[in-house]
């Protein structure tokens, strides 16, 4: 996460440097706030990916459990019908 913040900060500073003028204090503060906001957005996205991955794993586990239950029922039915 620190690498992402560093890259975003560097990009913001390079943008300001490309203007060819010394940035005003407010412009620097705005750039810092934008970088911080972008870093927070990246962190939030990472948290969402983790939650989505966990939900997918839970769903896959439940589906597997259902498949095992169905197979057990099929065996039970086959055994009952064979008698």
């Amino acid at each position: 996460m620190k690498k992402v913040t560093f890259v975003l900060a560097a990009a913001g500073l390079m943008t300001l440097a490309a203007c060819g003028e010394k940035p005003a204090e407010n412009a620097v503060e705005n750039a810092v706030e934008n970088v911080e906001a972008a870093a927070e957005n990246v962190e939030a996205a990472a948290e969402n990916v983790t939650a989505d991955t966990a939900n997918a794993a839970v769903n896959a586990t439940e589906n597997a459990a259902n498949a095992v239950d169905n197979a057990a029922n099929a065996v039970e039915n086959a055994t009952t019908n064979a008698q």
Side-chain angles (χ1 to χ4, degrees), residues 34-81:
N34 290 338
V35 169
E36 289 173 350
E40 289 173 5
N41 289 339
V42 169
E43 288 176 9
E47 290 171 3
N48 289 338
V49 168
T50 302
D52 290 343
T53 303
N55 289 336
V58 168
N59 290 337
T61 303
E62 288 175 352
N63 290 340
N66 289 336
V68 170
D69 284 342
N70 291 340
N73 289 336
V75 169
E76 182 180 5
N77 290 339
T79 304
T80 302
N81 292 335

Side-chain angles (χ1 to χ4, degrees), residues 1-11 35 39 42-43:
M1 192 54 56
K2 290 181 182 180
K3 290 180 182 179
V4 173
T5 304
F6 176 78
V7 170
L8 293 173
V35 169
V42 169
E43 288 176 9

Side-chain angles (χ1 to χ4, degrees), residues 12-32:
L13 293 175
M14 286 189 293
T15 301
L16 291 174
C19 295
E21 299 176 7
K22 292 185 178 180
E25 186 174 327
N26 288 339
V28 172
E29 288 176 7
N30 290 339
V32 169

